[in-house]
């Protein structure tokens, strides 16, 4: 009898231990399920919901162009969620804005868009007829025309005015004819050395010649005369102009033309005509 009771007691202990073990496993499973549900919920709130809402856009590099100008150009294409946001399409639209030279777009999951803008920098200004009005337009180093914004042009004379270039029918965002690219490139190179060179020049007038060539007429800022120059415009030409102006106007105040063409220097006065 005692042996039977001992065996029963041991069986009871084993069964009780199994029950506790089962309960522990059930609690662990429930706890694990809860953790998974919390994790899934966190993923949904942190990633899924933001991904389904409209993207949040950050602009960088805007100085003369405005955020609203870009938003107006892109329209509803910026009001998209992360999945539907078309990076290539938006990049193409922004790059087509005349005052923008380059644009980079970075997408960061789940709802961030970073748009980095590189604006065009003017090297010269010219004038075009628009809606029966003469308005200034800027020219960048690549010969691309883009509009002048308010208070955008420097007042120190570092950006020269170019006249005589046939740009009446060239819309903003288009390039000057290829034969004028050399002139724009020369102006950009001079500015990279010293922008003050153009402070003494109020206007650069382009004079067409035969066979598609052209020459330049420089109009000094503080002298009522013209300076004739070849199509090659460089530091040496501007230095010669300034030195010759000082010498010639000191000798003869009646001078109206200084000729720096063909490797020589000469001048003409009104009285000699």
């Amino acid at each position: 009898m005692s042996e039977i009771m001992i065996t029963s007691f041991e069986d009871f202990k084993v069964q009780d231990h199994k029950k506790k073990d089962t309960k522990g496993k059930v609690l662990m499973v429930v706890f694990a399920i809860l953790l998974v549900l919390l994790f899934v919920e966190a993923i949904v709130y942190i990633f899924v919901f933001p991904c389904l809402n409209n993207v949040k856009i950050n602009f960088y590099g805007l100085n003369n162009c405005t955020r609203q100008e870009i938003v107006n150009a892109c329209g509803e294409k910026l009001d998209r969620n992360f999945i539907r946001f078309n990076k290539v399409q938006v990049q193409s639209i922004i790059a087509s804005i005349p005052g923008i030279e380059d644009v980079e777009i970075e997408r960061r999951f789940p709802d961030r868009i970073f748009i980095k803008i590189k604006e065009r920098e003017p090297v010269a200004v010219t004038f075009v007829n628009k809606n029966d009005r003469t308005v200034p337009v800027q020219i960048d180093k690549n010969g691309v025309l883009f509009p002048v914004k308010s208070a955008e042009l420097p007042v120190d004379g570092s950006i020269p005015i170019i006249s005589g270039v046939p740009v009446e029918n060239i819309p903003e965002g288009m390039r000057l004819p290829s034969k004028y690219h050399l002139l724009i490139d020369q102006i950009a190179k001079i500015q990279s050395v010293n922008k003050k060179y153009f402070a003494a020049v109020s206007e650069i007038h382009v004079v067409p010649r035969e066979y598609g060539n052209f020459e330049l007429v420089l109009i000094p800022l503080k002298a009522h005369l013209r300076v004739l120059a070849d199509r090659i415009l460089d530091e040496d030409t501007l230095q010669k102009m300034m030195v010759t102006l000082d010498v010639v106007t000191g000798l003869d105040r009646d001078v109206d033309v200084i000729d720096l063409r063909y490797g020589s220097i000469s001048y003409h006065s009104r009285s000699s005509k």
Side-chain angles (χ1 to χ4, degrees):
M1 176 70 69
S2 60
E3 291 180 356
I4 295 174
M5 292 180 61
I6 293 172
T7 303
S8 299
F9 181 74
E10 290 179 350
D11 291 341
F12 176 77
K13 289 179 61 179
V14 170
Q15 290 176 1
D16 184 60
H17 180 74
K18 287 182 178 180
K19 288 181 180 180
K20 291 181 179 180
D21 189 53
T22 302
K23 289 181 180 180
K25 290 180 179 180
V26 170
L27 289 175
M28 290 181 63
V29 170
V30 172
F31 182 72
I33 292 174
L34 290 175
L35 284 179
V36 170
L37 291 175
L38 288 174
F39 179 76
V40 171
E41 185 178 8
I43 293 295
V44 170
Y45 277 99
I46 296 175
F47 297 107
V48 177
F49 283 174
C51 183
L52 297 177
N53 293 327
N54 286 350
V55 293
K56 298 176 182 178
I57 300 177
N58 298 87
F59 290 95
Y60 298 92
L62 291 178
N63 294 308
N64 299 312
C65 292
T66 64
R67 178 189 178 99
Q68 191 59 46
E69 182 180 358
I70 297 176
V71 170
N72 292 341
C74 295
E76 62 180 12
K77 293 177 178 60
L78 295 181
D79 296 328
R80 303 281 176 83
N81 59 41
F82 190 85
I83 297 173
R84 297 179 59 227
F85 183 86
N86 192 322
K87 172 183 173 181
V88 175
Q89 191 176 48
V90 171
Q91 190 168 2
S92 177
I93 293 173
I94 297 176
S96 68
I97 297 175
I100 294 178
E101 181 178 342
D102 192 26
V103 56
E104 296 179 3
I105 298 180
E106 179 184 353
R107 290 157 42 104
R108 292 185 187 175
F109 190 83
D111 63 347
R112 293 287 181 176
I113 302 294
F114 297 89
I115 300 179
K116 184 178 180 181
I117 303 293
K118 181 181 180 182
E119 297 182 350
R120 297 190 186 278
E121 296 183 5
V123 299
V125 176
T126 190
F127 292 87
V128 299
N129 294 322
K130 186 175 182 181
N131 299 327
D132 298 326
R133 295 188 303 120
T134 300
V135 297
V137 292
Q138 300 178 109
I139 309 172
D140 78 345
K141 63 182 179 181
N142 297 313
V144 177
L145 303 178
F146 62 105
V148 174
K149 302 294 180 64
S150 59
E152 187 172 346
L153 291 176
V155 296
D156 58 0
S158 61
I159 305 297
I161 296 174
I162 299 178
S163 63
V165 177
V167 296
E168 289 82 3
N169 297 320
I170 302 179
E172 293 172 353
M174 300 295 289
R175 298 183 69 187
L176 292 175
S178 58
K179 68 178 181 179
Y180 300 110
H181 292 177
L182 175 62
L183 174 61
I184 299 301
D185 184 60
Q186 291 169 343
I187 292 175
K189 287 182 179 178
I190 294 173
Q191 289 175 333
S192 67
V193 176
N194 190 344
K195 291 187 176 182
K196 293 184 179 180
Y197 272 120
F198 292 107
V201 180
S202 66
E203 181 182 338
I204 301 173
H205 183 69
V206 177
V207 181
R209 295 300 184 193
E210 295 180 348
Y211 310 112
N213 291 324
F214 62 87
E215 293 180 344
L216 302 175
V217 177
L218 309 179
I219 311 298
L221 184 63
K222 297 182 179 180
H224 300 287
L225 51 78
R226 297 173 297 150
V227 179
L228 309 183
D230 298 319
R231 62 184 295 173
I232 302 300
L233 183 65
D234 52 19
E235 295 177 71
D236 186 53
T237 300
L238 295 177
Q239 288 174 353
K240 283 182 180 179
M241 180 195 75
M242 290 185 286
V243 172
T244 306
L245 280 173
D246 290 337
V247 174
V248 171
T249 54
L251 296 174
D252 187 352
R253 293 184 176 275
D254 202 31
V255 171
D256 66 342
V257 176
I258 295 176
D259 195 341
L260 304 180
R261 298 174 298 174
Y262 318 122
S264 62
I265 300 176
S266 60
Y267 68 91
H268 308 281
S269 61
R270 298 178 185 85
S271 59
S272 63
K273 293 182 179 180

